[in-house]
């Protein structure tokens, strides 16, 4: 299977090359030239399939230049003892028709592990296939979850180094502790005395600095990106939606020919796009419900057909969704525009030039057939955490809470009460402040010490925090670099010995 660019001005490439390069040279995103036939999914409901077997069947459809043995070796490494649940992504039903798909049982306690535990293995194999002999330097700017997941994924993977820049005061205390205690001989974590945008701008500048690229090439190195526009991050995410379907059919009475809804708390539009691709592959989804926080640019887009990033940016309790430009949406646009790359280019030009674009009426209808959208503000997010705890004695994190609130709105607006799965994207103990405030009350959350809050929450609810989070306080700090944004390039030089 070949991969083409959404903007149609790059040559088709193999899966291995699409994974290695991430972004197409014309600035577009790679997608499969033709989508696998839907009939390919019928075996997925076979009883007793493990997560790993399911992953193998799905990945094989998209990564056709990998051998089955290569894929299985990658999968074995990625989804083994590093996940604390043998099911990898278990579904917890809180009602007869409502379940949470828990995507946080991996080493960093957020859903990004599902892709980032696998991607480094896939890249290593891709490099071998392409006879690519340079050292791969992963550069990552993170607002919290991606950086840690990339560090854990690439830790001690031969032929790679991973350098993560995080905003010194822009991540939660738990997230920061997760990063500065990172182990591995090839991991580098750098605090930046600026915000996430500055860190990201610094990384982007390095990616486009030709002189720097030449210096890197001369030293036998090359930059790569693990961010969510890489096709290698999307495909692994299809697997857990199929796994959830298998669970619903085998354990919760869903008829194999019945449909269900999927709710996804959304930022960069990666996780929900994977669910959409799952549907294209035959997953019987009725509606894909897109849940946003106060940065509700996607809610407006799905409701009106106009994407408009000219609006205020809010910092919220669900920081991994604080995004105004959802990069992965470009792949959906390609489908909405009837696979016409010229139309995609036109929309992307408008977005760059005036910060907005508007879909044609037929495109908007197509969008609304598949998606329903809503959002939650801060008070609604907190209320959702409290409500779910009181109703079901089940703890959810603020991102997942946004999903729950929007699902309530969907129920009320449509009356559609068919079985529904909400993607639970992070462990509640990763965001103790927001969760403690909701469950224990505002006074309880007055202490700024997140680890004290974690202990309090655990004691009050009887829910055990993941060991990797509870044990963080006792781990030695291994990374102490803090730099100004202007010093990012120099820091990379120092780390790489250039
Ligand atoms: C990254 C992230 C999201 C948003 O996912 P997208 O794929 O960017 O839409 C939601 N919740 C959590 C906890 C995350 O880390």
């Amino acid at each position: 299977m070949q991969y083409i660019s959404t903007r149609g001005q790059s040559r088709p490439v193999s899966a291995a090359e699409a994974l290695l390069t991430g972004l197409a040279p014309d600035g577009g995103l790679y997608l499969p030239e033709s989508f696998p036939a839907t009939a390919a999914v019928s075996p997925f409901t076979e009883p007793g399939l493990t997560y790993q077997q399911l992953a193998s069947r799905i990945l094989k459809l998209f990564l056709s230049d990998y051998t089955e043995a290569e894929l299985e070796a990658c999968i074995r490494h990625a989804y083994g003892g590093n996940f604390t649940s043998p099911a990898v992504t278990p579904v917890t039903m809180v009602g007869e028709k409502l379940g949470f798909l828990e995507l946080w049982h991996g080493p960093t306690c957020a859903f990004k592990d599902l892709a980032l535990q696998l991607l480094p293995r896939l890249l290593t194999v891709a490099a071998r296939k392409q006879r690519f002999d340079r050292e791969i330097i992963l550069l990552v700017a993170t607002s919290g979850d991606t950086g840690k997941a990339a560090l854990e994924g690439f830790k001690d993977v031969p032929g790679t180094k991973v350098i993560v820049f995080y905003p010194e005061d822009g991540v939660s205390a738990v997230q920061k502790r997760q990063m500065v205690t990172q182990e591995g001989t090839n991991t580098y974590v750098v605090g930046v005395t600026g915000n996430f945008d500055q860190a990201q701008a610094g990384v982007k500048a390095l990616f486009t600095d030709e002189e720097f690229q030449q210096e890197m090439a001369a030293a036998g190195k090359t930059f790569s990106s693990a961010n969510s526009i890489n096709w290698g991050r999307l495909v692994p995410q299809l697997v857990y939606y199929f796994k959830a379907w298998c669970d619903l059919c085998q354990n919760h009475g869903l008829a194999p020919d019945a449909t269900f809804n999927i709710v996804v708390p959304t930022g960069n539009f990666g996780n929900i796009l994977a669910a959409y691709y799952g549907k294209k592959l035959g997953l019987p989804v009725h509606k894909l419900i897109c849940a946003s926080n106060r940065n509700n640019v996607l809610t407006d887009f799905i409701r009106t057909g106009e994407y408009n990033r000219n609006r205020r940016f809010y910092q919220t309790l669900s920081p991994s969704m604080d995004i105004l430009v959802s990069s992965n949406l470009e792949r959906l646009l390609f489908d909405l525009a009837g696979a016409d790359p010229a139309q995609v280019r036109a929309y992307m030009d408008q977005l760059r030039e005036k910060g907005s674009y508007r879909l044609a009426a037929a495109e908007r209808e197509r969008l609304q057939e598949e998606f329903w959208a809503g959002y939650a503000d801060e008070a609604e997010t907190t209320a959702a955490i409290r409500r779910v705890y009181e109703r079901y004695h089940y703890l959810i994190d603020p991102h997942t809470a946004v999903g729950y609130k929007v699902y309530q709105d969907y129920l009320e607006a449509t009356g559609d009460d068919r079985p529904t799965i909400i993607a639970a994207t992070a462990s509640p103990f990763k965001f103790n402040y927001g969760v403690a405030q909701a469950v224990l009350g505002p006074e309880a959350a007055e202490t700024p010490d997140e680890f004290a809050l974690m202990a309090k929450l655990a004691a009050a609810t009887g829910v055990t925090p993941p060991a990797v989070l509870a044990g963080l306080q006792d781990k030695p700090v291994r990374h102490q670099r803090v730099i100004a944004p202007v010093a990012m390039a120099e820091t990379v030089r120092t780390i790489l010995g250039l």
Side-chain angles (χ1 to χ4, degrees):
M1 175 192 288
Q2 293 287 99
Y3 283 78
I4 55 171
S5 164
T6 48
R7 301 197 189 172
Q9 294 179 321
S10 298
R11 69 180 167 84
V13 298
S14 67
E17 194 174 343
L19 262 55
L20 274 176
T21 46
L23 199 67
D26 62 4
L29 310 190
Y30 283 119
L31 33 78
E33 193 163 31
S34 60
F35 218 79
T38 54
V41 295
S42 51
F44 295 161
T45 44
E46 214 173 276
L49 271 190
T50 63
Y51 192 92
Q52 293 79 357
Q53 289 166 329
L54 196 54
S56 168
R57 293 189 185 189
I58 293 175
L59 286 162
K60 195 163 77 179
L61 298 173
F62 291 97
L63 307 180
S64 54
D65 49 334
Y66 286 67
T67 67
E68 214 154 300
E70 283 170 339
L71 285 179
E72 276 164 17
C74 292
I75 288 167
R76 221 175 18 250
H77 263 108
Y79 308 121
N82 45 348
F83 281 78
T84 55
S85 164
V88 183
T89 58
V91 172
T92 293
M93 299 298 289
V94 294
E96 207 178 307
K97 290 179 173 179
L98 180 62
F100 286 94
L101 172 59
E102 296 176 356
L103 304 176
W104 45 260
H105 292 274
T108 80
C109 308
F111 87 87
K112 291 180 176 73
D113 285 331
L114 275 307
L116 281 165
Q117 284 293 302
L118 184 66
L119 181 65
R121 311 286 159 190
L122 294 176
L123 279 185
T124 311
V125 176
R128 203 164 60 222
K129 287 182 178 299
Q130 299 287 117
R131 301 188 199 296
F132 190 86
D133 54 7
R134 293 197 208 157
E135 187 184 26
I136 299 174
I137 312 297
L138 272 295
L139 271 192
V140 183
T142 185
S143 58
D145 289 335
T146 305
K148 179 62 185 178
L151 287 161
E152 276 299 315
F154 283 91
K155 171 179 77 183
D156 294 327
V157 173
T160 71
K161 282 195 173 73
V162 50
I163 307 176
V164 169
F165 293 97
Y166 70 94
E168 164 79 347
D169 294 315
V171 300
S172 84
V174 171
Q175 289 176 316
K176 183 167 173 177
R177 188 87 196 167
Q178 277 187 308
M179 287 192 278
V180 297
T181 58
Q182 178 64 45
E183 289 159 0
T185 54
N186 64 339
T187 56
Y188 303 86
V189 177
V190 184
V192 175
T193 54
N195 58 28
F196 169 65
D197 285 335
Q198 287 170 294
Q200 189 164 50
V203 164
K204 278 195 182 149
L206 281 171
F207 273 114
T208 51
D209 182 337
E210 273 182 34
E211 214 173 296
F212 210 113
Q213 310 288 341
Q214 284 167 10
E215 229 178 294
M216 294 275 291
K221 301 176 197 301
T222 190
F223 284 137
S224 182
S225 156
N227 85 22
S228 76
I229 48 129
N230 193 312
W231 182 257
R233 276 194 56 182
L234 272 176
V235 190
Q237 298 184 341
L238 268 74
V239 178
Y240 46 75
Y241 291 115
F242 279 97
K243 189 73 169 78
W245 178 39
C246 294
D247 266 13
L248 286 179
C249 291
Q250 284 155 27
N251 306 321
H252 304 290
L254 185 74
D257 57 352
T259 56
F260 66 106
N261 297 315
I262 298 178
V263 185
V264 187
T266 305
N268 219 4
F269 209 75
N271 204 6
I272 195 168
L273 185 70
Y276 165 80
Y277 284 143
K279 184 171 180 185
K280 271 182 89 159
L281 251 193
L283 193 64
V285 180
H286 174 64
K287 279 284 176 194
L288 297 156
I289 299 170
C290 176
S292 301
N293 63 25
R294 266 183 109 186
N295 298 295
N296 57 0
V297 58
L298 285 167
T299 313
D300 290 346
F301 174 64
I302 291 168
R303 288 183 183 170
T304 69
E306 186 193 47
Y307 195 95
N308 191 339
R309 62 162 298 185
N310 302 308
R311 59 179 72 212
R312 202 178 134 191
F313 174 83
Y314 296 101
Q315 273 189 318
T316 72
L317 289 169
S318 46
S320 300
M321 293 154 59
D322 291 344
I323 287 174
L324 290 182
V325 177
S326 302
S327 321
N328 261 304
L329 194 61
E330 183 168 338
R331 288 193 167 102
L332 179 67
L333 275 183
F334 183 86
D335 279 12
L336 294 176
D340 175 8
Q343 188 58 59
V344 174
R345 287 201 301 276
Y347 287 143
M348 289 301 112
D349 286 345
Q350 290 167 36
L351 184 64
R352 198 182 52 244
E353 283 155 20
K354 56 181 184 115
S356 70
Y357 59 87
R358 183 180 282 282
L359 296 180
E363 294 167 344
R364 190 190 66 223
E365 277 162 30
R366 229 170 286 155
L367 174 68
Q368 290 171 344
E369 241 164 65
E370 304 287 346
F371 293 88
W372 195 90
Y375 73 98
D377 66 20
E378 299 293 88
E380 289 165 335
T381 303
T382 306
I385 297 172
R386 188 179 313 122
R387 174 130 191 246
V388 169
Y389 183 68
E390 282 170 357
R391 256 186 142 166
Y392 308 115
H393 197 76
Y394 183 73
L395 273 189
I396 56 174
D397 96 292
H399 301 78
T400 309
V402 168
Y404 180 79
K405 191 278 175 178
V406 171
Y407 174 59
Q408 296 303 308
D409 292 348
Y410 173 80
L411 265 181
E412 197 172 308
T414 64
D416 170 23
D417 68 346
R418 79 190 71 213
T420 296
I421 290 291
I422 299 177
T425 51
S427 159
F429 294 103
K430 216 174 168 176
F431 299 94
N432 298 286
Y433 177 75
V435 179
Q437 208 185 359
V439 172
L440 309 175
E443 318 77 50
E446 259 166 25
T447 163
D449 180 351
E450 273 214 49
F451 288 96
L453 283 178
M454 189 190 299
K456 253 191 192 174
L457 255 179
T461 61
V463 182
T464 311
V468 285
L469 295 183
L472 271 177
Q473 257 188 314
D474 304 325
K475 284 184 87 178
V477 171
R478 300 187 68 242
H479 305 269
Q480 297 187 326
R481 269 198 188 92
V482 177
I483 60 159
V486 291
M488 285 174 65
E490 211 37 59
T491 303
V492 172
R493 278 205 175 83
T494 309
I495 289 171
L496 299 179
L498 297 177

